[in-house]
Amino acid sequence: MSIDQASWEAAVRHLYEDTFTFSATGPRKHSDWRADVVAVMERAVPDPRGWAGLDDTSDERTTERPAFPFRPPHKADPGRRLTPADVGERLHEIDRASAENLLLALTDGGCTLRNLERFTESFNELREMARTILARYGDTFTCYTNATVGTGQNGTLDFEASHWGYTPMTFYWEDAGLVIVSDTEVGLFWTFDV
């Protein structure tokens, strides 16, 4: 699938415009992709293509907490800087189909596909928007999440599960997100409940 800036930004904006969100992409510069994720969380790197993401939390970050709302694990000092290890220990790999569904579930709190009821588009049209978002990262990306929506084997998330869980990554009440790692970029798509 070939995409351009206008179609990618339109998909991101449409899916997440009514969500409290952080969606950004940064360059992949390190062999340890987790370091690149921290750089994106800290807003230390620009989007390598100049494409616009969404950041509803930018007003709350400070010099002392450049990655806000992202934080170290709860047992760690909340004032210390986020590390690549902090990121890696709270994420697990998921498959591409789960990533598509997760992008749709992240359109509102609760991390469920029932969130899609508010859209006028069909499920297939919304799925195409999720595929447009993923297409930016090429064909050989990997995906990681902190969500445990009926986590099955082989990195599959079960969105038919009666409940969802997550490993907290932020200072907010609830958060769920997706990290996409390609050879050249890392993308973050996160939603929060305050």
Side-chain angles (χ1 to χ4, degrees):
M1 170 187 271
S2 167
I3 59 141
D4 60 15
Q5 179 177 1
S7 62
W8 189 85
E9 287 178 352
V12 170
R13 205 171 32 255
H14 185 72
L15 289 175
Y16 303 109
E17 67 188 348
D18 292 332
T19 306
F20 191 46
T21 191
F22 176 80
S23 302
T25 298
R28 174 91 188 270
K29 295 181 175 181
H30 301 90
S31 58
D32 182 353
W33 57 266
R34 302 170 309 167
D36 297 312
V37 169
V38 171
V40 172
M41 289 175 168
E42 291 184 344
R43 289 87 161 173
V45 292
D47 184 295
R49 301 183 198 198
W51 296 6
L54 300 170
D55 187 356
D56 294 330
T57 64
S58 61
D59 292 345
E60 299 183 54
R61 59 188 286 261
T62 64
T63 305
E64 297 79 30
R65 292 185 180 165
F68 186 90
F70 300 99
R71 62 163 288 155
H74 281 292
K75 295 189 188 244
D77 173 6
R80 80 164 166 79
R81 297 283 293 261
L82 195 63
T83 68
D86 293 335
V87 170
E89 73 185 34
R90 294 178 286 168
L91 296 175
H92 61 94
E93 189 170 350
I94 59 172
D95 62 24
R96 184 178 294 237
S98 293
E100 285 179 14
N101 283 332
L102 184 56
L103 282 171
L104 298 177
L106 292 173
T107 59
D108 209 349
C111 199
T112 174
L113 294 177
R114 287 187 303 278
N115 293 339
L116 303 180
E117 294 169 1
R118 69 181 172 83
F119 291 98
T120 58
E121 292 86 3
S122 70
F123 180 76
N124 287 336
E125 290 169 314
L126 295 168
R127 182 178 291 280
E128 277 306 307
M129 289 181 202
R131 287 180 177 153
T132 295
I133 291 171
L134 290 174
R136 171 186 178 150
Y137 305 97
D139 295 325
T140 58
F141 58 81
T142 54
C143 297
Y144 303 86
T145 186
N146 69 323
T148 56
V149 182
T151 304
Q153 295 190 0
N154 303 322
T156 301
L157 298 179
D158 178 8
F159 288 91
E160 300 297 321
S162 59
H163 64 283
W164 74 284
Y166 66 99
T167 304
M169 296 278 292
T170 70
F171 287 97
Y172 294 124
W173 176 253
E174 291 180 354
D175 67 86
L178 175 67
V179 173
I180 306 162
V181 180
S182 77
D183 290 339
T184 58
E185 297 179 316
V186 292
L188 278 72
F189 297 85
W190 231 268
T191 58
F192 319 102
D193 276 346
V194 289

